Amino acid sequence: MKKHLLFISSLIISFISIGQCTDDFDWGDAEYGVSPDPEVGETFDDAELDVPYEDTIHILVPQSASDIDATYPALPIDSAVLNSIIITQGENSYTPAEFGLELTCNNGGSSVNPCTFLGGQSGCGLLSGTPLIPGEFNVSIEATVYVTIVVPFPYEFNYEGYTLTVAGEVSVNDIVEPLSEVRITPNPFSSKALI
């Protein structure tokens, strides 16, 4: 019986750890930061079409606005929330789900929302999945930073300048074959139909 319980426990722990990043980035003496950091030329790892992919975003939230810039007032930073990632190519914009990816966060349990990172703390987000669209893309991370004046006040902030390259090509067969399985309900229809 004990062996069965240990086996089930190990399966549960393995399942929970799948799809979660590890907050192990060495920030040194930095008071805040993000990695990869596009300001120093870092970006996301390259990906391949229809091949599983993952890359980790590390974040260190400053304790005070003056940590970012000495000319800012020394207002405490309550928290920062990673809201979403937007992937663009020209005029086209994709959510991670439309692109075949998802963002899962790990704040070490410091907040109920795993994508909420408290001031003065670090955490990470795992961008993972299987890219569905080839090409070169611009990526921005949309975040909200809460600065405490009397109560936490939201300030929208985007980390921009990232790129993501997905190697591969979509063949004509990839496009045509799914169209052969299109179903229209009701069939025949007069003014409305469900495809």
Side-chain angles (χ1 to χ4, degrees), residues 85-89 92-99 133 137:
I85 291 182
I86 302 297
I87 303 164
T88 58
Q89 184 183 50
N92 298 321
S93 179
Y94 307 95
T95 65
E98 294 168 330
F99 198 77
I133 307 166
F137 301 87

Side-chain angles (χ1 to χ4, degrees), residues 2-18:
K2 282 185 179 182
K3 287 182 182 179
H4 291 295
L5 290 174
L6 286 172
F7 177 72
I8 291 170
S9 296
S10 67
L11 281 179
I12 290 170
I13 290 168
S14 298
F15 179 74
I16 290 170
S17 66
I18 292 172

Side-chain angles (χ1 to χ4, degrees), residues 102-115:
E102 69 175 334
L103 175 66
T104 53
C105 300
N106 179 6
N107 62 15
S110 62
S111 176
V112 175
N113 176 356
C115 286

Side-chain angles (χ1 to χ4, degrees), residues 108-128:
S110 62
S111 176
V112 175
N113 176 356
C115 286
T116 297
F117 306 96
L118 301 180
Q121 295 185 352
S122 63
C124 58
L126 181 67
L127 187 61
S128 63

Side-chain angles (χ1 to χ4, degrees), residues 70-82:
T71 62
Y72 293 167
L75 297 172
I77 294 181
D78 176 75
S79 59
V81 180
L82 291 183

